[in-house]
Amino acid sequence: MSDELPGFTFLTAGKVRDLYAPEGHDDLLLLVANDRVSAFDQVLSRPIPGRAALLTRLTRWWFAQLADVPNHLADADVAVPEAVADRAMLVRRLRMHPVECVVRGYVTGSGYAEYRRTGSISGLPLPEGLQDGDRLPEPIFTPAYKAELGAHDENIPFETVVDLVGAETAEALRSTSLRIFAEASAIADAKGVILADTKFEFGDDAEGGLVLADEVLTPDSSRFWDAAAYASGRRGVGFDKQIVRDWLAAHWDGEGAAPDLPDEVVQRTADRYRELVELLTA
Ligand SMILES: N#Cc1c(N)ncnc1-c1cnn(CCN2CCOCC2)c1
């Protein structure tokens, strides 16, 4: 849907979300999620029906749970086209900070790979002997610099964040990200879900206030694990792409374009997204 939204000007297309500008409202943006899913750095050919609407519903729910954190949702008299209404967010246009504010409660993924190489993540030294999926002594702020579309984000030390946005804003990014993570992981924990890690984006509004942006605390920006599975030793049992990843691992050598997902995998994945959203928002 790159250019067929009457009253809105298409700006950019991301992996799983497109950006539009409402005509006549320079202070607003429209984020429109799509049903595409990416795995192993590839956007897969078959969409997951209902995924975008579920994750939009989840982001809105988290914004409401985090009532003490200013967010970019706009309450404006702009008609969002019915065709995208359940998967779109009208937001205030911010001056975005070019920092991926990653918080990790567990060590896995690219963070674990960096830890194995250096004993640290984003310049933060970690205890020796950690295994993939281990819980960290306490959540850590491990920022990254947004690479170009398709490239991997680059973990950066806090000092680089200071160079990018200034000391006061860097500290606010860190403290706010850690505070939100603590609140969100407690909410998830109470529902049998581990929030292993997540990524926030922030911008400044016209008054210079720090505002939580983008989508938040969904499987697109976070790892959610089944707590009961983790406790029984089955680590990293995800709620979203695990089914896709497992099928691709069994049916693709990683070379060239990924094969089409079979109907059964698409349906089970859609069900799994719904299961997570309904578990968290219950
Ligand atoms: N949400 C939002 C938002 C907003 N509320 N106001 C202005 N721009 C954006 C915006 C534009 N692009 N992105 C995602 C891409 N990130 C941008 C930052 O750097 C990392 C990548 C967000």
Side-chain angles (χ1 to χ4, degrees):
M1 169 93 66
S2 60
D3 56 3
E4 296 156 12
L5 216 47
F8 293 80
T9 304
F10 171 73
L11 296 177
T12 58
K15 280 184 184 177
V16 291
R17 200 173 42 256
D18 300 336
L19 220 50
Y20 293 82
E23 287 156 12
H25 296 270
D26 295 343
D27 59 333
L28 300 176
L29 288 172
L30 187 72
L31 303 184
V32 181
N34 57 57
D35 287 339
R36 295 192 294 266
V37 64
S38 63
F40 301 114
D41 292 331
Q42 278 210 21
V43 177
L44 304 182
S45 57
R46 290 203 60 187
I48 306 296
R51 179 188 186 280
L54 281 167
L55 298 196
T56 301
R57 176 179 145 197
L58 183 58
T59 282
R60 290 179 177 279
W61 182 82
W62 280 116
F63 279 141
Q65 301 307 302
L66 302 166
D68 58 340
V69 181
N71 66 65
H72 66 161
L73 283 183
D75 180 15
D77 187 18
V78 172
V80 175
E82 187 57 35
V84 299
D86 67 348
R87 56 190 176 92
M89 291 193 297
L90 192 65
V91 301
R92 290 184 286 151
R93 192 184 287 243
L94 305 172
R95 183 175 61 79
M96 296 300 289
H97 296 299
V99 179
E100 305 276 288
C101 293
V102 178
V103 180
R104 301 173 189 270
Y106 293 72
V107 61
T108 193
S110 67
Y112 181 64
E114 182 175 337
Y115 165 75
R116 290 296 300 256
R117 288 195 309 274
T118 68
S120 64
I121 304 177
S122 289
L124 290 176
L126 295 177
E128 291 185 8
L130 292 174
Q131 299 303 310
D132 190 4
D134 275 358
R135 183 170 187 173
L136 292 168
E138 60 181 359
I140 57 175
F141 180 70
T142 60
Y145 188 71
K146 183 73 184 171
E148 290 308 310
L149 196 60
H152 283 294
D153 296 344
E154 175 196 349
N155 287 341
I156 54 177
F158 183 71
E159 292 69 26
T160 303
V161 179
V162 171
D163 294 342
L164 284 169
V165 302
E168 185 179 347
T169 298
E171 182 46 51
L173 292 175
R174 175 166 62 185
S175 59
T176 306
S177 298
L178 287 167
R179 177 163 62 86
I180 298 171
F181 184 88
E183 284 184 45
S185 49
I187 291 169
D189 184 61
K191 300 179 177 183
V193 178
I194 291 173
L195 174 62
D197 55 37
T198 195
K199 178 271 293 180
F200 302 116
E201 291 187 12
F202 294 87
D204 285 346
D205 61 16
E207 290 70 43
L210 192 68
V211 178
L212 182 58
D214 208 10
E215 50 89 50
V216 294
L217 295 158
T218 75
D220 276 344
S221 59
S222 317
R223 285 188 176 88
F224 290 103
W225 293 341
D226 182 316
Y230 188 91
S232 69
R234 290 185 298 123
R235 290 182 163 200
V237 176
F239 267 91
D240 56 314
K241 299 182 198 172
Q242 199 62 45
I243 297 166
V244 170
R245 287 197 187 102
D246 291 349
W247 186 87
L248 286 172
H251 296 85
W252 180 46
D253 62 4
E255 296 298 323
D260 286 354
L261 300 176
D263 291 349
E264 179 261 341
V265 170
V266 170
Q267 187 55 56
R268 281 200 298 129
T269 300
D271 294 346
R272 197 71 169 148
Y273 276 112
R274 180 171 300 281
E275 180 186 354
L276 173 64
V277 173
E278 291 182 351
L279 186 58
L280 286 173
T281 62

